[in-house]
Amino acid sequence: MATETESSRHTPRRTSASSRTGATDEPRTPGTGKNKSHGGGRLRGHLLGTYGLLTLTVLLFLAFSLALPDTFPTLDNASSILSNQSIPAMLALGAMIPIVTGRFDLSVGYGLGFAHVLAMQLIVNNGWPWPAACLVVIVGGGLIGVFNGLLVEFAKIDSFIATLGTGSVLYAGTGWITDGARIVPGSHGLPPAFTDLYDSKFLGLPVPAFYVLGLAVILWLLLERLPLGRYLYVIGSNARAADLVGIPTRRYGIYAFAGSGLVVGCAGVLLAAQQQIGNPSVGMDYLLPAFVGALLGSTAIKPGRANAAGTVVAVAILAIGLAGIQQLGAEFWATSLFNGGTLLLAVGLAGYSARRRLRAGATATRRSLSEPASSTPPTTEQA
């Protein structure tokens, strides 16, 4: 008996957290009761925020297809939409890059007009080979972007004011190059290889659509899979925190504006190949659609932050909406009404998505800090 008592004295007793608190030892089933309902609501909210705009795009296409069965759901109409919306899509992707860092480049419309008349001037009036002219235009767009970045990051001028000022200078340059008139090629026209940049097809679809797809993939890789993109997102989220962790915010801010300028230069070359004339007033028509696509895109795929895939989806819904209302016989002012209303909606939804993302992060942080002690593994007590 003494041996038994002695043995029990030195035998460790294992007590679970539930036995110490008087609870039963029945295992908990995750995802039941209130947690299950909250988890399901969060999942539905996540799916709606991620794929809601894409679903709306499909529904809008189906609605116009039912309303216009003879003209809308056709290959010719799809090719026309892809071709006509390729330049706005490229410009939206270019405008998206500074938005990632919390900046805005309002010079994209002016830069597009300047780039396309410069390309026409070099090819038509100066007799440059078209590849050299295109290269100069694209590099020039990048340099303009670097200048915008220097104004914002080093001169500390607000991005709205700095890029609007640069845009006004570019508009003046456009007027100086064209003298207020259009640049029209002679009887020989433009080089066929140059116009094929826009007019040719690949796999039965307009080749500009593949430019947009390639640009979107490149930006997706840069922003989502490489350190460059992570740094840009950190800067856009909290520039002060980015400075504290050692990210050179000024340098990466300039990178963002330079990327925007390069994309604008490419879009200007494509616009010159499409228009085949130099029109000094055409660039501003693309400014509003570009920002509508970039801002509305921040509410899809990656809700709460600008992203390439979401921008492509946003441009798609804008293209389908515009094509549908035009084929339904809308008045000439309907396009401006559609773009303006969609911009207001995009800004509101983008702000809501950003606030919702911040609230979700704060809730997750509070939940992790307030987990009960029962979540810790049981301890061994010596009697």
Side-chain angles (χ1 to χ4, degrees):
M1 189 68 177
T3 304
E4 182 180 353
T5 304
E6 189 71 20
S7 174
S8 61
R9 183 179 302 163
H10 295 284
T11 301
R13 293 181 300 168
R14 297 181 180 272
T15 58
S16 65
S18 60
S19 64
R20 290 196 302 270
T21 58
T24 61
D25 289 335
E26 294 178 1
R28 294 185 177 182
T29 303
T32 60
K34 186 176 180 180
N35 290 335
K36 182 177 180 180
S37 63
H38 285 321
R42 287 194 298 269
L43 178 61
R44 287 192 298 270
H46 172 73
L47 292 176
L48 181 62
T50 304
Y51 303 109
L53 195 64
L54 181 59
T55 303
L56 183 60
T57 304
V58 175
L59 293 177
L60 190 62
F61 179 83
L62 293 176
F64 282 123
S65 297
L66 293 174
L68 302 163
D70 297 330
T71 57
F72 199 82
T74 62
L75 181 60
D76 289 339
N77 184 54
S79 297
S80 177
I81 292 175
L82 291 174
S83 179
N84 293 334
Q85 296 302 318
S86 58
I87 296 174
M90 291 184 68
L91 210 61
L93 289 168
M96 177 209 69
I97 304 174
I99 293 177
V100 170
T101 66
R103 309 289 195 269
F104 291 90
D105 186 358
L106 297 183
S107 68
V108 292
Y110 301 100
L112 179 70
F114 179 80
H116 101 277
V117 299
L118 179 60
M120 293 298 298
Q121 173 72 16
L122 294 177
I123 296 173
V124 174
N125 294 335
N126 294 355
W128 283 35
W130 71 265
C134 294
L135 181 61
V136 167
V137 170
I138 294 172
V139 173
L143 292 177
I144 292 171
V146 170
F147 181 72
N148 281 331
L150 291 173
L151 290 178
V152 173
E153 300 298 337
F154 285 91
K156 295 300 180 182
I157 303 175
D158 183 83
S159 61
F160 279 99
I161 304 301
T163 57
L164 186 60
T166 303
S168 297
V169 173
L170 292 175
Y171 188 65
T174 302
W176 175 70
I177 291 174
T178 62
D179 200 21
R182 296 185 176 185
I183 300 176
V184 181
S187 57
H188 56 280
L190 293 171
F194 176 68
T195 57
D196 284 345
L197 293 175
Y198 182 86
D199 293 335
S200 58
K201 291 191 174 184
F202 180 70
L203 299 177
L205 296 175
V207 72
F210 293 95
Y211 301 154
V212 175
L213 179 62
L215 177 61
V217 171
I218 291 173
L219 291 179
W220 177 79
L221 289 173
L222 290 175
L223 295 176
E224 305 291 341
R225 291 293 180 265
L226 294 178
L228 170 64
R230 291 194 290 271
Y231 293 160
L232 294 180
Y233 278 122
V234 171
I235 294 171
S237 178
N238 192 327
R240 178 59 179 166
D243 275 327
L244 293 176
V245 299
I247 297 176
T249 56
R250 289 182 175 180
R251 185 198 311 168
Y252 283 97
I254 294 174
Y255 289 166
F257 280 103
S260 176
L262 286 173
V263 174
V264 170
C266 294
V269 169
L270 193 61
L271 181 63
Q274 178 202 38
Q275 299 280 325
Q276 300 185 19
I277 59 172
N279 189 345
S281 61
V282 73
M284 289 306 300
D285 295 336
Y286 292 88
L287 179 61
L288 188 59
F291 275 94
V292 171
L295 292 173
L296 189 60
S298 64
T299 67
I301 310 301
K302 296 284 186 180
R305 69 179 191 180
N307 64 93
T311 301
V312 172
V313 173
V315 171
I317 195 172
L318 292 173
I320 292 172
L322 286 174
I325 63 176
Q326 288 172 357
Q327 292 185 27
L328 286 173
E331 297 289 342
F332 68 93
W333 43 262
T335 299
S336 298
L337 178 63
F338 182 82
N339 286 331
T342 309
L343 177 61
L344 295 175
L345 180 64
V347 172
L349 290 177
Y352 171 76
S353 298
R355 292 191 298 270
R356 188 171 180 271
R357 190 162 175 258
L358 289 174
R359 285 197 301 267
T363 302
T365 302
R366 287 195 301 268
R367 186 179 297 113
S368 64
L369 294 176
S370 62
E371 286 182 349
S374 59
S375 61
T376 59
T379 58
T380 300
E381 297 179 353
Q382 295 288 342

